[in-house]
Amino acid sequence: MAGVTDREADSAVPFDLASMRKQYRAEGLSETELAATPVEQFARWFKQAATEGGLFEPNAMVVSTADAEGRPTSRTVLLKHFDEQGFVFYTNYDSRKARDLAENPYVSLLFPWHPMARQVIVSGVARRTGRDETAAYFRTRPHGSRLGAWASVQSAVVAGRDALDSAYAELAARYPEGEQVPVPPHWGGFRVVPRAVEFWQGRENRLHDRLRYVAEAGGGWRVERLGP
């Protein structure tokens, strides 16, 4: 900001970020309340987020990956399935996230349920889902979303919006509504097998509850409380 004084720069900021704070809820999360497994606990919290949380997309999560050199990137992706085997999302296998995971399979998932003063952080290893599982999910997608999976070369530089719309229009003409759209060979799922899952509950005075399940080498989970 050459030529701009510190005072002018400060006045250009419309908010006093240092003073922006919320007091979180008094109710906390105790070890005795936790389910036997992190997936069971996640199911409890997810049900509350989906029915009581006032969230636009409770299954939206921030997926963070890193390439072989350790350079990180993050993006918001929708969770499409979860069970004791892991957390599943779908993407283009030529995308930045998929390329990162091919080089470095370690991944972090963050569910930022701000209206409830809650977060869930999943750390684990990502593996591609099988083609049968991918095809079964692909058939549940709206027709337009199936076409979009073909039209977009995800993460690649495109000439402009017109090029993207033109590619979609060509596919819509080839596969009109009601006609089966094949599963793109470059598109599919990742299952994140959790190695640690943290449940974060905001508390008063920033003394938050942070309980983390950690996978044991012989199976099962241990629970740790982390300092806020």
Side-chain angles (χ1 to χ4, degrees):
M1 299 180 66
V4 179
T5 67
D6 289 344
R7 179 172 296 180
E8 288 172 333
D10 290 343
S11 66
V13 178
F15 301 108
D16 180 3
L17 299 180
S19 68
M20 294 178 69
R21 58 177 57 88
K22 297 286 185 181
Q23 188 68 280
Y24 295 145
R25 61 200 295 171
E27 301 84 4
L29 179 66
S30 69
E31 289 84 344
T32 58
E33 297 172 335
L34 291 178
T37 71
V39 172
E40 291 178 31
Q41 183 63 34
F42 181 83
R44 290 179 185 176
W45 270 23
F46 185 82
K47 181 178 180 181
Q48 292 177 338
T51 60
E52 308 166 17
L55 294 152
F56 174 61
E57 286 183 316
N59 60 326
M61 58 185 181
V62 178
V63 177
S64 297
T65 59
D67 63 17
E69 283 72 46
R71 293 170 296 196
T73 55
S74 299
R75 74 289 289 165
T76 302
V77 179
L78 296 179
L79 177 72
K80 287 302 177 180
H81 179 74
F82 69 89
D83 57 25
E84 292 294 340
Q85 307 308 311
F87 299 80
V88 178
F89 65 90
Y90 292 87
T91 188
N92 187 311
Y93 284 147
D94 294 326
S95 66
R96 171 70 180 272
K97 72 179 82 62
R99 294 197 306 270
D100 281 358
L101 292 173
E103 298 176 346
N104 178 357
Y106 294 98
V107 61
S108 175
L109 313 177
L110 167 66
F111 295 85
W113 294 333
H114 301 305
M116 306 178 74
R118 286 178 174 176
Q119 301 179 73
V120 180
I121 305 166
V122 179
S123 301
V125 176
R127 296 284 185 264
R128 291 189 181 190
T129 59
R131 293 309 291 172
D132 288 346
E133 183 177 355
T134 290
Y137 169 70
F138 189 78
R139 288 192 290 268
T140 71
R141 288 164 61 93
H143 184 75
S145 296
R146 289 182 242 174
L147 296 178
W150 280 99
S152 173
V153 183
Q154 197 172 104
S155 300
V157 175
V158 296
R161 180 72 199 194
D162 289 346
L164 186 61
D165 290 340
S166 177
Y168 181 90
E170 181 179 330
L171 287 159
R174 187 186 312 170
Y175 301 107
E177 188 76 39
E179 187 161 330
Q180 188 70 23
V181 180
V183 183
H186 56 270
W187 188 93
F190 281 100
R191 174 173 283 101
V192 177
V193 180
R195 303 305 300 163
V197 184
E198 178 184 333
F199 293 85
W200 185 102
Q201 174 66 71
R203 297 291 302 275
E204 293 179 323
N205 303 314
R206 297 298 187 263
L207 296 177
H208 314 307
D209 286 324
R210 298 176 60 190
L211 298 181
R212 179 174 64 188
Y213 292 79
V214 179
E216 299 276 27
W221 300 87
R222 74 174 185 271
V223 174
E224 305 171 329
R225 176 173 285 273
L226 305 178

